[in-house]
Amino acid sequence: GLESITEEEELRSDRKFTVGLVYMFNLIVGTGALTMPKAFATAGWLVSLVLLVFLGFMSFVTTTFVIEAMAAANAQLRWKRMENLKEEEDDDSSTASDSDVLIRDNYERAEKRPILSVQRRGSPNPFEITDRVEMGQMASMFFNKVGVNLFYFCIIVYLYGDLAIYAAAVPFSLMQVTCSATGNDSCGVEADTKYNDTDRCWGPLRRVDAYRIYLAIFTLLLGPFTFFDVQKTKYLQILTSLMRWIAFAVMIVLALVRIGHRQGEGHPPLADFSGVRNLFGVCVYSFMCQHSLPSLITPVSSKRHLTRLVFLDYVLILAFYGLLSFTAIFCFRGDSLMDMYTLNFARCDIVGLAAVRFFLGLFPVFTISTNFPIIAVTLRNNWKTLFHREGGTYPWVVDRVVFPTITLVPPVLVAFCTHDLESLVGITGAYAGTGIQYVIPAFLVYHCRRDTQLAFGCGVSNKHRSPFRHTFWVGFVLLWAFSCFIFVTANIVLSETKL
C-alpha cells in the first residue's frame, strides 16, 4: 500500500514539475524572441550563438541567486514571527486566566497550518519557500534606503521600456498587415520592396499616419485599464500561450520547409561586431524572468529539484531560441528580415494561405494586447510603492488619476516618435535589463548571505543555496554587468557620432 502511495506522490510531483517547467518557459519566452532573428542576422551567426549561450548561462546564475534570496527572506520572516510569538507568550504567561485563550490560539494556529507540516515531526527547515516575497520586499529587507530607491528606479525604467515596446509593436504590426493588404499587391510585403514611412498606405494617408492612427486606437482601447485593477485570467493566459506556441511552431516549420526545398535566401555572416550591441540587448531582454520569479516559484509544491527545474528550462529555452533564429537567418536574406519576425510571413511567396498570413501577422497584436494592461498596472503599483510613506494614504486624485497618467503617457509618446523595435528592445534590455538581471540579484544574494550568517550563525545552511555559492560569482556577475553597460554606452555614442 505504502509503495503505491509514494509512487502516486512521485507521479504527482513529476506532473507538477512539468507544469512548473511549462509555466516558466511561457514566462520567459515572450515577444522579445520575435526580435531575435533580425539581431542574429546583423551580428553574424557565430557571434550570436556564443553570446546567446553565455547570456543564458549568466541569466541562470542570477536566477539561482534570486531563489536563494527568496529562501533567506522566508527564513527571516519566519524568525520574526517566532520572535513575535515568544513575546506574546511571555505576555500571556504572566496572567493565568489567559491560559485557555492561549490553548485556543494554538489550536487555531495548528488548524491553519498546511496539513503536511503538521505531520512532519521536528521543526521544519526555516528556509522553505512558502511566503511569496516579491523583489521589492526583498530589496527593502536586505538593502538600505538608497538601495531600495535604486531598485525601484531600475524596475520602473524596465517596465517603461516594456510598455513602449508593446505600444509600438501592435500598431506597427497592424500597419504592416493592413497597408500591404490594400494597394496593388494584395499580398503583403513583396520579396524585394523596402517600405518607407512616407510611402502611401491608403489614398492620401502615409504609412506613418496609419501607424499613428493605430497607436491612438490602441491607447484609447487599452489605456483605460491602467486606471483600474486588472488580473490576467487563467483562460486568457492559456489562450495566449496556445496562440504563441502555434505561431512559433508554424514559423519554424515554414522556414525549415523552405530551407529543405533549397529556397533559403539567407547567407548570414560569421561575425559582424557592429550588430552586437542590439543583439546583446535583445538577448538580455529575452531571458528576463528574475522580477517575476517570486510569483512563479512560490506555488511550485515540490521544491526539491528547483535548481534542476530552472536549469532544464534554460536549456530548453536556449534550444528554442537557437532553432527559431537559425531557421530564420538561413531562410531569409539578412536585409529582408523584419523587426518583428512574424511579419516576414506576410508574403505570398512564403505563405499561400491568407488565413495563416493574417494569423501570423496579427498574433503579436493579440498576445501583446492582453499583456499591456498587466504590465501597466504593475508599473503603476511600483510608482505608488516608491512614493509611499509609512501609514500615509494618497488623495483620490493622485491615486486614481496622477499615477495611471504618469504610467501611460511616456511609453505612448516614445511609440509615437519611433517604431524602431529592435533599438527599443536593445536599449531596454541593455540598460534596465542588466540592472534587473545581473546587478539586483547579485547584491540581493550578497546581502542575504551576510544577514543569514548574522541571524542564524555559520552552522545553518540555506537549502536553496545557489550552486554558485562562492563570492567570486557575485563579483563576476557585477563585473560583467559593468562591462556590458560601458560597451553598450560606448557603442551608442560611436554609432550616433558616425551618423
Side-chain angles (χ1 to χ4, degrees):
L2 272 176
E3 278 146 24
S4 67
I5 288 175
T6 47
E7 268 174 26
E8 239 174 60
E9 266 188 4
E10 268 183 13
L11 258 173
R12 204 175 298 132
S13 80
D14 278 353
R15 199 164 57 237
K16 280 178 177 158
F17 184 84
T18 319
V19 170
L21 201 76
V22 171
Y23 197 69
M24 185 166 177
F25 196 110
N26 264 344
L27 181 87
I28 299 182
V29 177
T31 28
L34 293 177
T35 55
M36 209 175 251
K38 188 178 178 188
F40 253 66
T42 43
W45 66 266
L46 186 66
V47 173
S48 302
L49 189 63
V50 172
L51 196 63
L52 184 69
V53 172
F54 181 67
L55 288 175
F57 169 71
M58 292 300 280
S59 181
F60 170 67
V61 172
T62 56
T63 302
T64 61
F65 282 175
V66 174
I67 293 173
E68 178 175 340
M70 276 165 61
N74 267 282
Q76 268 207 23
L77 289 173
R78 225 169 250 119
W79 193 64
K80 281 184 185 136
R81 254 180 251 142
M82 297 288 287
E83 291 290 293
N84 293 343
L85 275 179
K86 274 188 198 139
E87 278 171 20
E88 279 171 24
E89 277 167 15
D90 290 348
D91 294 349
D92 284 343
S93 58
S94 55
T95 50
S97 59
D98 283 346
S99 62
D100 45 84
V101 179
L102 194 82
I103 292 165
R104 196 169 67 234
D105 264 9
N106 277 344
Y107 176 69
E108 275 175 4
R109 215 170 280 126
E111 284 289 280
K112 280 183 190 141
R113 236 183 289 154
I115 296 161
L116 282 172
S117 62
V118 179
Q119 291 161 353
R120 276 199 211 112
R121 280 170 291 291
S123 61
N125 188 313
F127 291 95
E128 274 310 338
I129 301 176
T130 49
D131 292 18
R132 187 168 118 196
V133 186
E134 292 295 350
M135 246 184 161
Q137 198 181 341
M138 282 193 272
S140 52
M141 282 166 90
F142 300 125
F143 295 164
N144 60 13
K145 195 85 184 89
V146 179
V148 174
N149 285 340
L150 282 174
F151 163 80
Y152 276 110
F153 174 71
C154 200
I155 284 273
I156 283 170
V157 171
Y158 170 71
L159 292 172
Y160 268 135
D162 236 0
L163 287 178
I165 291 160
Y166 285 176
V170 170
F172 183 66
S173 291
L174 286 168
M175 169 191 82
Q176 286 289 7
V177 171
T178 54
C179 281
S180 323
T182 56
N184 29 17
D185 52 338
S186 59
C187 215
V189 193
E190 276 307 304
D192 287 325
T193 43
K194 271 279 183 210
Y195 286 115
N196 286 325
D197 275 354
T198 49
D199 291 351
R200 295 262 173 269
C201 181
W202 323 291
L205 276 183
R206 296 169 311 170
R207 286 170 70 86
V208 68
D209 300 329
Y211 168 79
R212 287 176 179 165
I213 290 168
Y214 281 131
L215 178 63
I217 295 170
F218 176 78
T219 312
L220 287 174
L221 287 179
L222 292 177
F225 284 110
T226 319
F227 293 82
F228 308 104
D229 282 318
V230 273
Q231 244 112 38
K232 194 165 195 173
T233 60
K234 197 164 113 193
Y235 298 109
L236 203 60
Q237 214 155 3
I238 292 170
L239 185 63
T240 49
S241 307
L242 206 64
M243 278 188 70
R244 191 162 49 198
W245 281 113
I246 294 169
F248 279 131
V250 167
M251 289 190 293
I252 289 172
V253 169
L254 284 173
L256 279 172
V257 166
R258 270 183 82 81
I259 295 169
H261 286 323
R262 300 282 161 88
Q263 292 172 314
E265 303 159 358
H267 303 289
L270 196 66
D272 175 3
F273 288 99
S274 61
V276 170
R277 177 194 91 202
N278 260 348
L279 173 74
F280 169 76
V282 168
C283 289
V284 170
Y285 184 77
S286 301
F287 280 117
M288 269 314 260
C289 67
Q290 281 74 359
H291 56 301
S292 22
L293 276 174
S295 47
L296 179 80
I297 279 171
T298 315
V300 174
S301 50
S302 90
K303 297 196 182 66
R304 273 207 316 264
H305 314 296
L306 210 48
T307 315
R308 213 177 71 192
L309 172 108
V310 175
F311 180 71
L312 203 62
D313 246 317
Y314 271 95
V315 172
L316 283 173
I317 287 163
L318 265 177
F320 174 72
Y321 282 165
L323 186 65
L324 183 76
S325 305
F326 271 91
T327 50
I329 60 178
F330 284 103
C331 178
F332 297 102
R333 272 208 332 272
D335 56 352
S336 72
L337 272 170
M338 311 277 283
D339 272 353
M340 291 284 271
Y341 180 46
T342 39
L343 295 171
N344 277 82
F345 293 90
R347 283 163 44 179
C348 272
D349 52 339
I350 292 189
V351 186
L353 284 167
V356 178
R357 278 205 304 273
F358 274 105
F359 169 71
L360 287 177
L362 297 176
F363 132 83
V365 174
F366 182 73
T367 43
I368 288 175
S369 301
T370 56
N371 262 341
F372 188 85
I374 317 284
I375 305 276
V377 169
T378 311
L379 173 54
R380 185 197 73 196
N381 293 342
N382 273 310
W383 270 122
K384 285 185 183 174
T385 320
L386 180 61
F387 288 119
H388 189 67
R389 295 285 162 267
E390 278 300 310
T393 52
Y394 295 114
W396 186 86
V397 173
V398 176
D399 190 53
R400 285 289 176 186
V401 181
V402 176
F403 281 119
T405 310
I406 59 171
T407 300
L408 198 58
V409 173
V412 173
L413 280 178
V414 171
F416 186 81
C417 298
T418 176
H419 54 67
D420 181 2
L421 283 171
E422 204 188 9
S423 299
L424 281 176
V425 172
I427 288 170
T428 304
Y431 286 117
T434 22
I436 294 170
Q437 201 163 319
Y438 303 135
V439 181
I440 293 168
F443 277 121
L444 273 178
V445 86
Y446 177 73
H447 284 288
C448 94
R449 281 170 186 171
R450 238 181 31 190
D451 286 12
T452 305
Q453 272 197 342
L454 285 174
F456 296 94
C458 295
V460 178
S461 80
N462 186 336
K463 62 177 269 190
H464 290 297
R465 206 158 72 160
S466 162
F468 309 98
R469 49 184 70 121
H470 199 283
T471 317
F472 158 77
W473 287 104
V474 176
F476 180 60
V477 167
L478 288 173
L479 189 71
W480 168 245
F482 182 69
S483 34
C484 293
F485 186 80
I486 298 292
F487 167 74
V488 172
T489 311
N491 205 307
I492 289 175
V493 171
L494 289 175
S495 62
E496 290 304 314
T497 46
K498 251 183 238 160
L499 299 173

